[in-house]
Amino acid sequence: MQPSLQDLNIRLPRALFLLALLGRVSSLEECQMLRSAEGSTVSCYGPAEFPSSVPADTVHLSVEFSNLTQLPAAALQGCPGLRELHLSSNRLQALSPGLLAPVPGLRVLDLTHNALRSLPPGLFRTSAALSTLVLRHNQLRAARAPWLQGLDALGHLDLAENRLRSLPAGLLLSLGALHTLDLGYNQLESLPEGLLRGPRRLQRLHLEGNRLRRLGDGLLAPQPFLRVLFLNDNRLSALAPGAFRGLRQLDMLDLSGNALSSAPAGLWATLGRPARDMQHGFDVSHNPWVCDKDLADLCRWLDANRHKMFSQNDTRCAGPGTVKGRRLLDVAELGSL
């Protein structure tokens, strides 16, 4: 017996309801939408599934705080003018190589706090307009140059809080516009000297919270316009004499929380006074400084730049016994080294 039209009308809403419970039907009812002259902004927090349809004029799309583990390959097919895509705090494990192909004007992609272990080659093939890429707090164990091909306008790259142990020397070669690089809180023990080749004017570099033991002469050399450098909370015990050579515009340096006991003469020559003030200051606290004659150059530099020095009371001598526990600035004032 064939079902009547009336039976179908009764059963259809029930079927749609059941499918929705199973997570197979997505609705914009779970999202907030704001329309403006520039286009629509769609924000979905905790949706059961990626929205199957958004307004064609959508320029800003947020799908966050859900249990999504993957996205449909054609998820962005209906919003060709999209400029910002925020996918933070989901459980995404992989992305389709063609995911971004329908949105060549995308400028911001935020994938913070997901479960990504790698990126597919070609993901950014049509993403020449992308200026900000945030991959913070994922499970990336490696980063490869082919992942970043096509990112001609990328200015901000955030790879912090992953599981990176090493990086290839040519990782950034195609990123000429990069001005901010965040590699903080990974598991990096060393960095290749050619890592920073490629960006024409890198200005901000985050390397804090890794396992770096030594800073060599060549790592920072390709970036004379660097202004902000975070190296705190590593395991640095040695700095090469020319580690900061050429950094004549550095305005912020954080070396706190390392294992530094001495510093080579001339290391600080291009930083701060007498050449120029460091605009934002510096921090060399919480290191086991041995205040002997080998530290005289650092003490003279600290005395000249004390007005820009953070954590002065926490920058103390670990030895020898006669000055153990004393502030480096006090030792510098006495000129006893």
Side-chain angles (χ1 to χ4, degrees), residues 32 57 60 82 93 118 124 154 156 172 183 236 241 251 320:
Q32 297 177 345
D57 69 341
H60 187 293
L82 193 66
Q93 298 174 3
S118 66
F124 303 112
L154 192 69
H156 185 119
L172 309 176
L183 295 168
L236 290 170
D251 283 325

Side-chain angles (χ1 to χ4, degrees), residues 8 70 128 133 177 182 219 238 268 303 306 337:
L8 287 175
Q70 60 183 355
L133 174 58
D182 195 338
L219 177 68
W268 319 96
D303 191 41
R306 63 172 59 217
L337 298 182

Side-chain angles (χ1 to χ4, degrees), residues 218-237:
L219 177 68
L220 303 174
Q223 298 302 331
F225 300 106
L226 196 66
R227 291 187 176 275
V228 176
L229 176 59
F230 287 95
L231 284 161
N232 51 294
D233 300 322
N234 275 280
R235 302 175 184 178
L236 290 170
S237 60

Side-chain angles (χ1 to χ4, degrees), residues 13-336:
R14 175 177 171 78
L16 288 173
F17 175 74
L18 290 174
L19 285 173
L21 287 179
L22 292 171
R24 295 178 183 173
V25 172
S26 178
S27 171
L28 283 178
E29 291 178 0
E30 297 176 292
C31 307
Q32 297 177 345
M33 187 165 58
L34 177 66
R35 294 187 182 275
S36 71
E38 294 186 357
S40 297
T41 295
V42 179
S43 303
C44 312
Y45 299 108
E49 189 173 271
F50 195 87
S52 58
S53 63
V54 296
D57 69 341
T58 298
V59 293
H60 187 293
L61 176 60
S62 298
V63 183
E64 301 174 299
F65 302 100
S66 78
N67 292 322
L68 298 176
T69 58
Q70 60 183 355
L71 302 177
L76 305 176
Q77 197 73 47
C79 45
L82 193 66
R83 297 177 196 165
E84 293 195 24
L85 177 59
H86 297 265
L87 297 169
S88 68
S89 301
N90 294 300
R91 298 184 180 181
L92 297 174
Q93 298 174 3
L95 301 175
S96 167
L99 176 68
L100 303 179
V103 289
L106 192 68
R107 298 175 188 171
V108 176
L109 176 58
D110 182 4
L111 288 158
T112 302
H113 209 307
N114 278 284
L116 296 171
R117 298 191 176 189
S118 66
L119 298 178
L123 177 64
F124 303 112
R125 187 177 292 115
T126 61
S127 298
L130 195 70
S131 61
T132 299
L133 174 58
V134 184
L135 289 159
R136 172 183 290 265
H137 206 316
N138 276 276
Q139 298 178 24
L140 300 175
R141 296 180 180 272
R144 299 183 174 86
W147 292 357
L148 305 176
Q149 292 296 323
L151 294 173
D152 299 338
L154 192 69
H156 185 119
L157 176 59
D158 189 343
L159 292 166
E161 297 182 71
N162 278 280
R163 301 178 183 180
L164 300 174
R165 293 179 178 272
S166 63
L167 297 170
L171 179 66
L172 309 176
L173 281 177
S174 64
L175 303 182
L178 195 69
H179 57 72
T180 300
L181 175 62
D182 195 338
L183 295 168
Y185 299 98
N186 278 285
Q187 300 171 22
L188 299 168
E189 297 183 1
S190 63
L191 297 170
E193 285 196 354
L195 176 65
L196 300 181
R197 292 178 188 149
R200 293 183 295 272
R201 204 178 181 93
L202 192 68
Q203 296 188 27
R204 190 178 187 96
L205 178 59
H206 290 259
L207 293 170
E208 69 270 23
N210 280 286
R211 302 174 181 177
L212 301 176
R213 298 180 181 277
R214 184 179 185 277
L215 187 64
D217 283 319
L219 177 68
L220 303 174
Q223 298 302 331
F225 300 106
L226 196 66
R227 291 187 176 275
V228 176
L229 176 59
F230 287 95
L231 284 161
N232 51 294
D233 300 322
N234 275 280
R235 302 175 184 178
L236 290 170
S237 60
L239 302 173
F244 304 134
R245 187 181 297 129
L247 298 185
R248 300 185 184 278
Q249 298 189 33
L250 199 67
D251 283 325
M252 171 68 196
L253 173 64
D254 194 345
L255 281 166
S256 63
N258 278 287
L260 295 169
S261 59
S262 64
L267 175 69
W268 319 96
T270 61
L271 306 180
R273 292 185 177 180
R276 61 186 287 273
D277 267 340
M278 296 180 72
Q279 184 175 349
H280 303 303
F282 64 93
D283 194 339
V284 294
S285 65
H286 297 289
N287 280 285
W289 297 112
V290 176
C291 298
D292 57 17
K293 60 182 177 59
D294 292 332
L295 211 65
D297 187 60
L298 171 60
C299 285
R300 284 192 294 269
W301 186 82
L302 291 180
D303 191 41
N305 291 278
R306 63 172 59 217
H307 61 297
K308 292 294 183 179
M309 182 178 177
F310 295 113
S311 307
Q312 295 184 6
N313 289 333
D314 295 318
T315 308
R316 296 180 177 270
C317 301
T322 55
V323 292
K324 184 177 181 180
R326 298 192 66 176
R327 298 192 319 160
L328 261 68
L329 281 178
D330 295 336
V331 174
E333 283 180 350
L334 293 173
S336 56

